[in-house]
Amino acid sequence: MNIHTIATQPFLDQKPGTSGLRKKVPVFQQRHYLENFVQAIFNSLEDFTGQTLVVGGDGRFYNRQAIQIILKMAAANGFGRVLVGQGGILSTPAASCIIRKNNAFGGIILSASHNPGGPTEDFGIKYNTGNGGPAPEKVTDAIFAASTSLTSYCILEAPDVDLDQIDSFSLGSMTVDVIDAVADYGELMESLFDFPKIRQLLSSGNFRMVMDSLHAVTGPYATAIFEQRLGAAPGTVQNGIPLEDFGGGHPDPNLVYAHDLVEVLFGDNAPDFGAASDGDGDRNMILGCRFFVNPSDSLAILAANATLAPGYKNGIAGVARSMPTSEAVDRVAAKLGIDCYETPTGWKFFGNLMDAGRVTLCGEESFGTGSDHVREKDGLWAVLFWLNILAERGESVEAIVTEHWRTYGRNYYSRHDYEGVDSDRANTLMDQLQAQLPSLKGQTFGSYTVGYADNFSYTDPIDGSVSQNQGVRIGFTDGSRIVFRLSGTGTQGATLRIYLESYEPDAAKQGLDPQVALGEMIEIADTIAQIQALTGRDQPTVIT
Ligand code: G6P
Ligand code: ZN
């Protein structure tokens, strides 16, 4: 075997963020850059000789080249077997499913999620552990530490593997199995949801849906599941062929970036149901006919209706949401008498709770919902869950959501993003907020009085690890909240996120546009944080 040890020097910027290492493609294309990070992953792990690794990505530009490098490095570092999705494709939830199903040691997922792709756009790489979930902070810290002291990496000299053939190949003494990217995942979905019932709905002729894969990874999954298995009309899946640059778009399922879908669902003769997912398939957006379902509400509604799906018919153990996610699900948990956990932003914080059996459903305001069927959030799972509920209840999306509000009250919610803000300005804003925290309690702004103001800190109830500085929270005495944090997933400048929430129990007042209902909160946020003055922007880049 021809294993080379290549001398290298550390790059000092390989610190994984909220979800792995994300950089522009040209950064990854620097000599040794990707190799260094992959070696840092391997150096931070122990006892994997002869074990199985899962590898796949969202198909963005540089996916195939990166996979060839990773395969040769896995072989040189002693893995016994690598499972790789056909064409180098695996959605993030499918990768999680395959890691778990095969008792793999872990997996490497190549994605920058919802960020644009292409030769000058984003690329990303993250490591998932044997439970199928994103590496926890202690692992990512170890990877970063390893990256800063790296002096060499090992790679096998061998021809490239044919990623398009479903087959087994030898790479040195390692086996590479190129597997069907969809099959295992499709089977798992079928075990959770009532496929015959959904099939009845989709083929009834009375129900029309559109699924927008935004030219990203869920195209093949959605076509196989909705059109081939569940009888949805051909063409139900739009933008269903994964493209290396996502067709030049931003593969992020929200009202701004999924504009084609929004036009259809808010246009004349709109279908009954619309959904979209992101670059790597873990996010989702749910729309009804001329109706947007806020992701925080979606989590609450799935929790309240969980027993309608066969996989959850015996009830759910508990729920978890990220701190900035609205408290709508807390109200469902209280009614069901189950625990509700509040964690920092980032799916990795749900892993321990799911492994310990404390929670079944989890969700985030950032268009992420999922359950303990895998250890990632799961876009198509959420779509199927909604379809299962719609098939059982025979009501429209809007009717289900408004009835939910009548029962539990409505948590008006909105997120304002200021993207590409100068990092120094953004840090100044956060520092000034932090400095005000001790004096905010008791202060009155308009009709609101501050009940508490802090920087969120989380102690993991399972392993006791502490994560500090997870976002500034300003809570008002009537239960309204404003949260400020800087995104951990951007690659250019800083993204300031402001999360706004208020609670409305009165059904007669639940029909407002959230921007109107939250108008005073929006002004208070600017008064306290001086957003316009400090960012130099007079409005957010994205409002969801
Ligand atoms: C990724 C993570 C999520 C997180 C989201 C937003 O999608 O998987 O868990 O909520 O990014 O993170 P950000 O730091 O950009 O707000
Ligand atoms: Zn994603």
Side-chain angles (χ1 to χ4, degrees), residues 18-19 283 345-347 364 366 377 485 487-489 497 499:
T18 309
S19 198
R283 294 185 170 195
T345 292
W347 203 262
E364 294 185 275
S366 54
K377 56 186 178 283
R485 58 180 282 283
S487 159
T489 56
R497 302 205 196 284
Y499 310 82

Side-chain angles (χ1 to χ4, degrees), residues 113 278 280 282:
S113 189
D278 73 332
D280 63 331
D282 56 0

Side-chain angles (χ1 to χ4, degrees), residues 28 248 362 404 468:
F28 273 103
C362 307
H404 185 91
Q468 280 167 331

Side-chain angles (χ1 to χ4, degrees), residues 292-473:
F292 166 67
V293 184
N294 184 284
S296 296
D297 281 342
S298 181
L299 171 65
I301 290 163
L302 296 186
N305 291 276
T307 53
L308 297 180
Y312 308 92
K313 66 173 189 297
N314 297 327
I316 50 180
V319 290
R321 62 164 173 84
S322 67
M323 180 274 283
T325 302
S326 97
E327 293 174 352
V329 74
D330 303 37
R331 296 176 184 278
V332 176
K335 188 159 179 186
L336 293 175
I338 56 176
D339 285 338
C340 177
Y341 296 85
E342 183 177 41
T343 61
T345 292
W347 203 262
K348 60 189 172 205
F349 292 101
F350 297 138
N352 278 350
L353 296 170
M354 289 193 272
D355 285 349
R358 300 248 191 132
V359 303
T360 310
L361 300 188
C362 307
E364 294 185 275
E365 49 66 39
S366 54
F367 295 82
T369 353
S371 87
D372 60 358
H373 67 291
V374 289
R375 291 295 181 275
E376 291 277 6
K377 56 186 178 283
D378 190 343
L380 293 180
W381 168 91
V383 178
L384 286 163
F385 210 146
W386 267 95
L387 287 172
N388 201 145
I389 292 169
L390 291 167
E392 283 291 342
R393 290 186 50 169
E395 293 164 81
S396 72
V397 171
E398 180 170 358
I400 289 173
V401 176
T402 49
E403 203 227 86
H404 185 91
W405 292 338
R406 278 197 297 279
T407 309
Y408 294 92
R410 176 172 184 185
N411 288 71
Y412 277 110
Y413 189 81
S414 182
R415 185 176 105 183
H416 288 195
D417 293 335
Y418 292 79
E419 295 177 345
V421 175
D422 174 73
S423 295
D424 290 340
R425 284 172 174 242
N427 288 327
T428 305
L429 185 146
M430 292 305 288
D431 290 347
Q432 292 192 5
L433 259 178
Q434 179 73 35
Q436 288 182 65
L437 291 181
S439 61
L440 278 177
K441 189 174 170 183
Q443 279 194 46
T444 294
F445 297 87
S447 48
Y448 295 89
T449 303
V450 177
Y452 66 89
D454 63 9
N455 198 326
F456 181 59
S457 160
Y458 177 65
T459 303
D460 185 301
I462 311 301
D463 66 15
S465 58
V466 178
S467 304
Q468 280 167 331
N469 295 323
Q470 297 297 319
V472 165
R473 308 190 288 187

Side-chain angles (χ1 to χ4, degrees), residues 266-279:
F266 285 83
D268 294 338
N269 193 26
D272 303 278
F273 182 72
S277 51
D278 73 332

